[in-house]
Amino acid sequence: MKFGVDIPTCLAGMAYPVPFAGADEVVRIAVEAEQLGYDEVAGNDHLSTQQFVRQAWQAPPDYYEPLIMLATIAARTSVVRLGTGILVLPMRDPVLLAKQVATLDQISGGRVNLAVAAGGYRDEFESVVPDLADASRSDLMAEGIDALRVLFEQPRSTFEGKYRRFVDVESYPKPVQSPLPIFSGGNATGALRRAGERCDGWLPAKIGPAEIGEGRERIAQYARAAGRDPAAITIGLQTVVCIADTAEQAREKFERSTFELFRGSLSNTMMKGVDLDKYLSDNLIGTPEEVCAKAAAFDAAGLDGFYATLFVADTVDEMLGQMRRFAQHVIPEFRDRHAEATNSR
């Protein structure tokens, strides 16, 4: 089981208050994550402030570009993987993005995981790329992933899609990794299909073990239909962590945090039909013992890792405290299980 941290590149005003972390503090969080034994740090992606954030906060939040932030982190770390959790692909030009990601993979020595999704906020998409306001984001996702593959893998690249096209692009250097892992982010059917047909992994958000198991089976069906090996597709999850001495304290901490605003902002998209009780049950919220039991249920459902994990906090110090507590009580439990399973073979 792998464990990652969603560093707060673009989370102020959403999961965290405004202001939250300065640029130096984002790097500090990532460096400590590596020291604590986390496998990955991931930055999420916003190019403009969403309407719900503008309505909730008087001052605009600082949104740090995730790939530049990860490049800075690469220079301060040595083994932790560098992910996006997630990057909004329809807002990104694939030729420029391929160059950025390949450069990051080069300077980090091949440590990049690229998770991409359509994005949860249509208003942001339409503000950033108004010429594509009527475009299908699902089609943009498929074209973007295919275009990246061509740019990463072909000596000279030509691509002709409905929305994306380029001719005879010679993009070097290539990524160190071949193939560079691309994860399909999101909970919807399109995300599952893209994971099975096109990607190296699936990264849904804030769902429970039952949905992980169901999604794993559906991805396997899509993969087999596309002539791919389902076993080669990694199943990850972006979950929420809130650890306290009692279940009541954990629930109370969550409910009075900014995460309730974040959860509500997704009530018509990925969190549609998910009430608070189910949300608290599906995510890693509770005592250390309860969180370990929940993580074990995900492990049994076929989850490979908790990537881009969100830690409930109102300050950077509180976030680091949650990270430390999780690293102390949860990560060793699953490292030990893996060691025991390996030794028993």
Side-chain angles (χ1 to χ4, degrees), residues 2 27 43 61 103 106 114 119 129 187 208 228 295 298 306-307 331 344:
K2 302 291 186 182
V27 176
T103 300
Q106 285 281 335
L114 180 64
V129 282
N187 301 357
R228 304 181 69 215
F298 280 108
F306 294 99
Y307 300 102
I331 294 179
S344 66

Side-chain angles (χ1 to χ4, degrees), residues 79-92:
V79 296
V80 71
R81 291 192 65 82
L82 309 168
T84 54
I86 50 73
L87 188 140
V88 184
L89 188 54
M91 296 194 299
R92 301 277 182 157

Side-chain angles (χ1 to χ4, degrees), residues 11-52:
L11 287 167
M14 300 175 63
Y16 302 118
V18 177
F20 186 66
D24 289 345
E25 290 172 309
V26 176
V27 176
R28 172 190 165 202
I29 290 166
V31 170
E32 179 152 347
E34 180 178 72
Q35 294 169 347
L36 289 169
Y38 288 92
D39 301 285
E40 179 182 284
V41 295
N44 70 317
D45 183 33
H46 292 290
L47 299 183
S48 179
T49 309
Q50 312 91 315
Q51 286 300 323
F52 88 93

Side-chain angles (χ1 to χ4, degrees), residues 267-285:
S267 60
N268 292 322
T269 53
M270 67 172 61
M271 292 293 104
K272 190 172 184 178
V274 178
D275 62 21
L276 178 59
D277 286 339
K278 178 170 172 52
Y279 192 94
L280 293 169
S281 175
D282 286 346
N283 287 276
L284 302 185
I285 297 170

Side-chain angles (χ1 to χ4, degrees), residues 149-162:
R149 290 292 192 204
V150 170
L151 290 157
F152 287 154
E153 297 169 9
Q154 298 298 320
R156 291 186 176 179
S157 307
T158 295
F159 185 84
E160 185 72 41
K162 182 178 179 180

Side-chain angles (χ1 to χ4, degrees), residues 67 83-84 87 97 101 112-116 148 152 180-183:
L67 298 174
T84 54
L87 188 140
L97 178 60
V101 172
V112 175
N113 286 337
L114 180 64
V116 295
L148 288 172
F152 287 154
L180 185 139
I182 299 178
F183 284 65

Side-chain angles (χ1 to χ4, degrees), residues 26-318:
V26 176
V27 176
R28 172 190 165 202
I29 290 166
V31 170
E32 179 152 347
E34 180 178 72
Q35 294 169 347
L36 289 169
Y38 288 92
D39 301 285
E40 179 182 284
V41 295
N44 70 317
D45 183 33
H46 292 290
L47 299 183
S48 179
T49 309
Q50 312 91 315
Q51 286 300 323
F52 88 93
V53 174
R54 297 183 189 190
Q55 293 166 5
W57 303 94
Q58 185 174 6
D62 289 328
Y63 285 168
Y64 302 104
E65 201 288 319
L67 298 174
I68 291 179
M69 186 61 76
L70 290 170
T72 304
I73 291 165
R76 296 281 303 277
T77 57
S78 57
V79 296
V80 71
R81 291 192 65 82
L82 309 168
T84 54
I86 50 73
L87 188 140
V88 184
L89 188 54
M91 296 194 299
R92 301 277 182 157
D93 172 76
V95 176
L96 175 58
L97 178 60
K99 179 70 72 176
Q100 293 169 315
V101 172
T103 300
L104 179 60
D105 205 48
Q106 285 281 335
I107 64 175
S108 67
R111 290 191 273 149
V112 175
N113 286 337
L114 180 64
V116 295
Y121 302 98
R122 181 90 196 186
D123 62 291
E124 179 187 6
F125 169 72
E126 292 180 356
S127 292
V128 173
V129 282
D131 290 345
L132 293 174
D134 295 328
S136 162
R137 286 189 291 172
S138 179
D139 289 347
L140 280 166
M141 284 295 301
E143 288 189 12
I145 292 167
D146 290 347
L148 288 172
R149 290 292 192 204
V150 170
L151 290 157
F152 287 154
E153 297 169 9
Q154 298 298 320
R156 291 186 176 179
S157 307
T158 295
F159 185 84
E160 185 72 41
K162 182 178 179 180
Y163 302 110
R164 304 297 192 189
R165 64 185 300 269
F166 45 87
V167 178
D168 194 29
V169 173
E170 190 172 66
S171 184
Y172 282 83
K174 301 300 184 188
V176 172
Q177 301 173 93
S178 183
L180 185 139
I182 299 178
F183 284 65
S184 173
N187 301 357
T189 297
L192 295 165
R193 182 184 292 276
R194 287 187 290 272
E197 294 177 349
R198 287 178 161 85
C199 294
D200 306 288
W202 177 44
L203 185 66
K206 309 171 190 74
I207 59 177
E211 290 89 348
I212 288 292
E214 292 165 6
R216 187 168 175 264
E217 291 302 317
R218 291 175 65 189
I219 287 170
Q221 293 172 8
Y222 290 129
R224 284 191 288 265
R228 304 181 69 215
D229 180 7
I233 300 171
T234 299
I235 309 297
L237 176 66
Q238 183 186 58
T239 193
V240 174
V241 168
C242 185
I243 300 179
D245 292 336
T246 69
E248 293 76 16
Q249 289 173 348
R251 181 181 182 122
E252 179 186 355
K253 182 176 179 62
F254 175 86
E255 289 191 57
R256 59 179 168 79
S257 74
T258 309
F259 272 79
E260 260 297 85
L261 174 68
F262 188 24
R263 186 179 73 89
S265 75
L266 297 169
S267 60
N268 292 322
T269 53
M270 67 172 61
M271 292 293 104
K272 190 172 184 178
V274 178
D275 62 21
L276 178 59
D277 286 339
K278 178 170 172 52
Y279 192 94
L280 293 169
S281 175
D282 286 346
N283 287 276
L284 302 185
I285 297 170
T287 66
E289 294 76 18
E290 289 170 334
V291 168
C292 283
K294 289 183 178 185
F298 280 108
D299 191 22
L303 185 71
D304 294 305
F306 294 99
Y307 300 102
T309 301
L310 294 153
F311 291 88
V312 174
D314 291 326
T315 67
V316 169
D317 285 343
E318 285 185 10

